Amino acid sequence: MNIHEYQAKAIFSRFGVPVLDSHLVRPGDDVEQFCESLESHAWVVKAQVHAGGRGKAGGVARADSRQGLVSAVSGMLGARLVTRQTGEEGLPVQAVLLEAAVQIRRELYLALLVDREAGQVAIIASAAGGMDIEQVAQQAPDKIIAQHVHPAAGLQPSQVRTLAYALDLQKNQLRQLQAVLSALFELFVSCDCSLVEINPLIIDEDDRLVAMDAKINIDDNALYRQADIANLRDATQGNRDEERACELGLNYVQLDGRIGCIVNGAGLAMATMDLVKHQGGEPANFLDVGGAITQEKVAEAFKLVVHDSRVKAVLVNIFGGIVRCDLIARGILDALQSISLKVPVIVLLQGTRAAEGRKLLENRHAGLHQANTLTEAAQRAIRLART
C-alpha cells in the first residue's frame, strides 16, 4: 500500500527522521488567508499524488511571492497530474504540501527495501540524489552503494561508516546519518514496510541532513496489524477496479491486454497469462480468486473483468482442488443474470466437480464456450477477441 508524502513525513517525524516544517492545503481552504500567515518569502508547492516524477510534470513548483504561491496552489488543486508513472489519465490532486524553500548544498539518495533473494533489508544510497535512481543505476552504477542488514545483527556502525564514506560526508554528518538510518530501520521494521525512500535527502546550508521528500510502501499482507496506516489509504489514487477487487478480497492487477483472465491460484494465473502471451495474445489482468472463494465473489469477479472496456474475450481457467468447479459455474451464471454479456467467455474446468460445473454451463448462453485444454482455451479466446 502506498501513502502520500505528507503522511510519510508525519511517520518520519514520529520516528525521529528530520523533515521540513510543512502545511497541507486541501480544496475549500482559504488559500490567500493561509498564505498570509506564512513567514517565509519563498515556498515550494508539491502536489500530493501516488506517483514519482512530479517535478518533471509540473507537480512541484517554487513560488517567490504570495501571489505566485496562491497561483501555484490554485493551479494544482483539483487538477489531474500526469507523470511517467500515472498513465495518460493521470491522478487527481486533492491536496498540496507547502514547505519553505531552503538552501541546498547537496542532494543524496537513500532507501531501504526488502531484498528477497538475500532475505535481508538492503540500504541503497547514492550521491546522485534528486535524479531518477533507475537512470543513475543504468548510466553510473558505481554511484549506487548497497549494504545489507542481517535481521539478527541489525544495523552496524561499520555499515553506516561505509555509506558515509561513499557519500563523502563530513564527520558531523556521519553522526547524523547514523541517527537517520537507525530511525529509518526502526520505522521499516515496526511499520512492516516494503520500501522507504528519501529522494532527495538534502544537506542544507547548516550542514544538516533533512528528508526533502518521503515515500513509504507498506506490505499489504501486514496491514491487519498496521490499522493506523491502513486508514491512510487514499482510494482516489488507485485503480478503481483494483480497489474494488481489494474490497472483495481478490488478488487483481489490471494490465494492458485484451484477454481477461479469471483463475484460481497465483501460480496457475501466471501460467495462464504466459500461455496467452505465448499464443500471441495479451492478458488484460491478473486475477487469482483464491481458494476460499464464494459463489457471490465469483459473480463479482466475473463482472469486474467483463466490465473492463478493453477486454474483448474472457478466459476462465479453474483447476478444482479446494475450489469446486460447480461453485465457479454457479457464480458465472449468477453474474449473467445481472449483466449483458457482450464478449465471448471461454471456460476450462478441471478437478473437483468439474463434470458438474461443465454441465451447469451447457447451452446456458451463446457467449459461453467450453474448452478441454488450456492451450485450446487460450487459442480460442485470442481468436474470438479478434473477431
Side-chain angles (χ1 to χ4, degrees), residues 102-362:
V102 298
Q103 294 295 322
I104 300 174
R105 289 188 174 178
R106 292 184 62 197
E107 294 186 351
L108 310 174
Y109 175 90
L110 188 63
L112 281 72
L113 54 86
V114 176
D115 186 332
R116 300 188 184 279
E117 185 175 345
Q120 299 178 12
V121 175
I123 301 174
I124 309 297
S126 175
M131 299 176 60
D132 294 333
I133 197 63
E134 296 86 356
Q135 182 179 349
V136 175
Q138 290 179 356
Q139 299 179 0
D142 57 304
K143 292 185 178 181
I144 305 292
I145 311 104
Q147 291 286 302
H148 286 80
V149 182
H150 194 283
L155 179 65
Q156 298 297 303
S158 60
Q159 294 177 308
V160 179
R161 289 194 297 270
T162 297
L163 291 166
Y165 178 79
L167 294 172
D168 194 25
L169 298 183
Q170 300 174 7
K171 186 175 181 179
N172 67 319
Q173 295 163 352
L174 167 61
R175 290 192 292 269
Q176 294 180 60
L177 183 64
Q178 173 76 58
V180 168
L181 282 174
S182 297
L184 287 176
F185 187 74
E186 181 185 359
L187 183 163
F188 192 94
V189 175
S190 299
C191 296
D192 292 306
C193 300
S194 56
L195 171 71
V196 173
E197 182 183 68
I198 305 174
N199 189 25
L201 174 68
I202 69 163
I203 300 175
D204 69 10
E205 58 184 341
D206 296 319
D207 282 335
R208 296 176 303 182
L209 294 179
V210 182
M212 181 68 76
D213 196 6
K215 181 177 182 179
I216 296 178
N217 292 350
I218 310 299
D219 186 342
D220 287 343
N221 295 312
L223 286 176
Y224 72 94
R225 61 187 184 193
Q226 299 290 345
D228 290 344
I229 295 178
N231 290 333
L232 300 178
R233 182 189 294 274
D234 184 350
T236 68
Q237 297 294 303
N239 179 287
R240 282 176 291 185
D241 289 340
E242 291 180 2
E243 291 292 333
R244 174 59 179 156
C246 183
E247 293 172 1
L248 294 169
L250 301 171
N251 297 309
Y252 174 86
V253 179
Q254 197 170 76
L255 303 173
D256 297 326
R258 295 157 53 94
I259 309 299
C261 300
I262 302 175
V263 192
N264 67 310
L268 185 59
M270 294 299 293
T272 302
M273 293 165 60
D274 286 345
L275 186 60
V276 167
K277 196 168 182 69
H278 180 71
Q279 294 294 329
E282 291 290 340
N285 63 271
F286 169 95
L287 175 55
D288 168 21
V289 297
I293 191 71
T294 64
Q295 184 172 322
E296 292 74 21
K297 286 188 178 180
V298 170
E300 292 300 320
F302 187 84
K303 288 187 281 188
L304 185 72
V305 173
V306 169
H307 284 160
D308 186 341
S309 61
R310 299 165 308 145
V311 170
K312 303 305 178 185
V314 178
L315 171 54
V316 181
N317 180 21
I318 302 297
F319 187 84
I322 299 174
V323 175
R324 295 185 355 240
C325 292
D326 62 327
L327 180 147
I328 299 293
R330 293 182 190 279
I332 293 173
L333 294 177
D334 285 350
L336 291 177
Q337 292 180 2
S338 59
I339 64 172
S340 175
L341 185 63
K342 299 179 180 180
V343 297
V345 178
I346 296 82
V347 182
L348 173 60
L349 301 177
Q350 300 182 88
T352 305
R353 306 201 70 168
E356 291 87 340
R358 287 194 290 266
K359 187 173 182 179
L360 284 169
L361 296 179
E362 284 180 2

Side-chain angles (χ1 to χ4, degrees), residues 46-60 75-76 78-95 237:
K46 299 180 178 181
Q48 297 299 286
V49 295
H50 287 177
R54 292 176 299 172
K56 297 179 179 179
V60 177
M76 288 186 194
R80 295 189 72 89
L81 186 66
V82 179
T83 79
R84 56 184 174 78
Q85 294 184 4
T86 64
E88 295 180 357
E89 293 185 359
L91 291 173
V93 181
Q94 298 184 321
Q237 297 294 303

